[in-house]
Amino acid sequence: MGVLWKIALRNVLRHGKRTAITGIVMMVGIGLFIAYDSILAGMDRISIDTMIDYSSSYLKVRTPGYVADAMGLPLDKGIADPEAVMAAILKADPGVSAVAPRTLFLVQASNYIDSSPQMAAAVDPLRDREVFKVASDVHEGSWLRPTADREAVVAMSVARDLGLKLGDSILLSARTIYDNDNADEFLIVGLIDNTAGLSGTGSIYLSYPAARALLGEGLPVTEIDAAAPRAASLDAELAGSAKAASLLAAALPALTSQPIGEFAKDYLALRESKSKGSFMLIVMILLIAAVGIVNTILMSVYSRVREIGVLRAYGMTAADVKKLFVREGLITGAAGSAAGLVLGGLLVWYMASAGLSISGLFGNLDLGAIPVNAVLRGEWKPGSFVTGFAFGLLVSWLAARIPAKRAARMQPTDALRFV
Amino acid sequence: MKLHEMALRNLGRNRRRTALTALSVGIAMLMVMFLDGFIGGFMTSIVSNYTKNDVGHLNVTTSEYRERERFMPVSAYIRDSKRVIKAIESIPDLKGRIRIIEERIRFGVILNSGSSSKTSLCVAGDPVAEKGLLMLDRSVAQGSYLAKPGDALIGAGIAKDLGLKVGDTLKVVTQKADYGLGFKKFTVSGIFSTNVNSLDGNLFQIGLDDARELLGMAGGATQVIVMLDDYNYSEKAAPLVAAALGKAGLAGLSAIPWTRTGPFASLMVMMSSMYTWIYLIIAFLGAFVIANVMMMAVLERRKEIGILKAMGMPPREILWLFLLEGTMLGLLGSLAGVVLGMALNLVFARVGMDFSGAMASFSWPIDNMIYTTVNWLDALLLVLLGVGVAGAIAFLPSRKAARMDPIEAIRSA
Amino acid sequence: MNRIVTMMLTLVIAVVTLPVAGQASGFPLAADILSQLDANSSFKTIRYSGRMEITIGGETRIKEMKAVAMGSDKALIEFTNPEDRGIRYLKLARELWMYFPKEDDTVKISGHLLKEGMMGSDVSYEDALESSDYRLRYRAEVKGSEEVEGRKAWIVELSAKAPTAPYDRLIMWIDAERWVTLKEEMYARSGRLLKTSKTLEARKVGSRWFASSIVMESKLRKDTKTAFVMKDLELDLVLDAGQFTMAALTK
């Protein structure tokens, strides 16, 4: 270590208070930048997570005929051997942790007075809860039992519109696979939060035995949905899903495997349009932090111009004086930036592990269909740590360099007179 | 000598320090102020882009339509939509706040060409007003936007499915408002391509009068859409509209703000509160920076405090002197920053910032301009924040210094 | 006869699903009753003016039409109610053409749209265009007899042989003298009653009785029913097959 470095370090330590003030402003600025970047990614993520948890899943496998006519919910275009397909999915991509079959269909939900068309889903209650979150959003009552053939879980909004409550029966009528009508009463065993509305999947859930009693024994499985452990970032999640889809396309060429990206296209497009605005916000945060950093470093250099005079009088060269001050700035900058990384890391760690409860953040807000138990989680973005640190060092270097250069060029006598 | 004169003289004596501190406070304030306008504009842009295709900031339909909204029951249309518009436009509190007010009809149709048919969603409004709402004119890939009666603008997916080209005839069948069967032929004037499947494959735009003819309506529309200058105002405006409609004798109508139009709107409301939090964090950062700057400035003055004390100035007066200096500095910086920030906001509220560069890769029909918002209340609050923080930071260390042994204080610098 | 009603109903885009009566063979007595009923209601050609009142949740729409049909493959309908005046439907086998007089143009509805519910209704064109033989679909059994509004009726229960039948079970009250269905109950696979239908008026056409006014009521939703009245009913008249061509549709 050079002598100048040593002197610089000692000076930094000697002016503890000044260093602390500069360090703190850097810490807070860079820490907030890292946290903000993380939460912005988290906000992007929450919409995609909702899709994964309630409608698209990590990966959706259907027949090409079904996909072509998906709006029509064609019940005659089901998957021939769903068990084999599910086994094949698990085998083809070890990243897939769970699979579940589903069949979507239209029903008329009625209380014998009014009726309203609703989207319904036939599910395998045990497997479905491993893939989708609907089961955990049962607000009142319980999720479907696997063998129950006369039970339904219904979205609160549907029940409310029909004036029904837990334990009542709901009359469901639907077009069967035989192209005739069937209707029956189902006991409402569970009411789900209005997540269904948000997700667009369905507002009424039946077990396969119940759905088959209504729509016919031959009711096919029309889609297989898969789940995977949550990836560290949105991009990783999308890439993982796309990779899984291509693996499956090879393993199951007769079926169509669609990754999240296919379903989130519109959202991802909108996100891109948002990104420039978000970038601007981030830049402004850094600029505000820079104002603080530059000011404190400038002040600390100016307040020591007299010291420069003393050093020069002792015979130190102008270049060395400049170096000394720049190094002091760099040391302060490095320490402050490091503190910023620690603060940012702590904030991100908290937001990523505990998450910010949406209901906590917006307690008295009427959120309508937002899942009440939704949690906004921060994302780890290593890039922002690197950016934050580099930014801190760069700004301190620049801030120290300018006055140091000027001061170093001063005559010792002028410097000593400087107030 | 009066304390404030002394404070002023002190500020003038060390020009560089004063300038540096005030400049730092000012720049920080300027940025916070600008961000305040920018975040407002950013959210306005997001909310507008979300609401413009469907509900608008305020949405008026008949109560009957509202109940069955997702089936788009054309039969439950507003007969007197012109009077609805008049009634809304004459609300005193909304004077000058309405950016766009438009009648619109959305309905399901069967499109037919030769032996192919396809179900589709038709959006009909005033073609000129729709340039600022649907904005499909920005995504026309072939042909041109709606120009004359009988023109239709169709999505690229529809064109592909039905084998249609610009200039071809398109047959449209739908259920009329009186439940009869409606039919009309259109000329494909343009094909739009947004690269968003749900739009390209489903959406079909025609003029309002053509839609009325197709639906057998003499006038009226299913919806009246209002875009306000500030989306935040819609919750307050909705009851005003409802009251005005009631007063005008227009019964059986439902006027709701965009925030009550479903789950996605709730998500947007959540997002907008999220940005409020972000602004608060930024304001906090600004205050923090100001605090630091002031602290640095006060730190510099410890020696002076010692000298003043040694000269026999009472601690109370020293305290007041420094408090005054700090507050003046804070006021100077904050005021300059906020004024400049507001000037920026005013400029960009008028000319807007073009964010279209980021979207070159696709032609999503949204408004890429961000117009900053101008929030006078926030400006006032920011000045108060700046002065408050500066004053507090000047006060605390000064108090400590004022109580110090003069010798210690002189030596401490 | 009911099949014609069904067809008409669906063709005019009713928003209720409709009953289709079974004509079945079965046990001796039941078979006799049904064959009488069948003989009474089958026709080679038909022509009438009809009026339909479709009530959904208390709101009523009216459709009026003139119709001619040949067998179950060919039908031509012209609407006469003000909203639809002049619009014609031509049904040929599994294809449907619509003609709009104002624009003097036709639209063919085919492909997957035939399967999809039409304009928010849950009735598809395919329902209307299906010309299957219901005789093969049900087993019949006579359950007894009963008076229905002063007329003696056989109670016949029809049960589906296969799940593809329009209804799982039907109970019909058949006039013992005139061989007209007086009353009908349609049950779903779950055993639940879906709809009821009632003949309000029967007319003598030539030598036979024909139900000319029928009302069908949904049991799943209040105030939802369809009433259908036929006037100027003619059966087995001589019709020109040329009426059922594109040329005739657009003339």
Side-chain angles (χ1 to χ4, degrees), chain A residues 8 18 65 131 178 194 205-206 212 316:
Chain A
R18 256 175 224 150
V131 174
Y178 312 115
N194 295 330
Y205 293 84
L206 302 177
R212 289 192 166 126
M316 207 180 213

Side-chain angles (χ1 to χ4, degrees), chain C residues 33 142-156 172-183:
Chain C
I33 296 169
V142 177
K143 288 293 196 183
S145 66
E146 205 177 68
E147 287 227 334
V148 178
E149 287 175 12
R151 300 207 56 85
K152 189 191 173 197
W154 302 110
I155 306 171
V156 181
M172 300 169 110
W173 281 258
I174 298 168
D175 192 311
E177 213 182 313
R178 296 173 174 173
W179 309 109
V180 167
T181 310
L182 296 173
K183 208 167 93 170

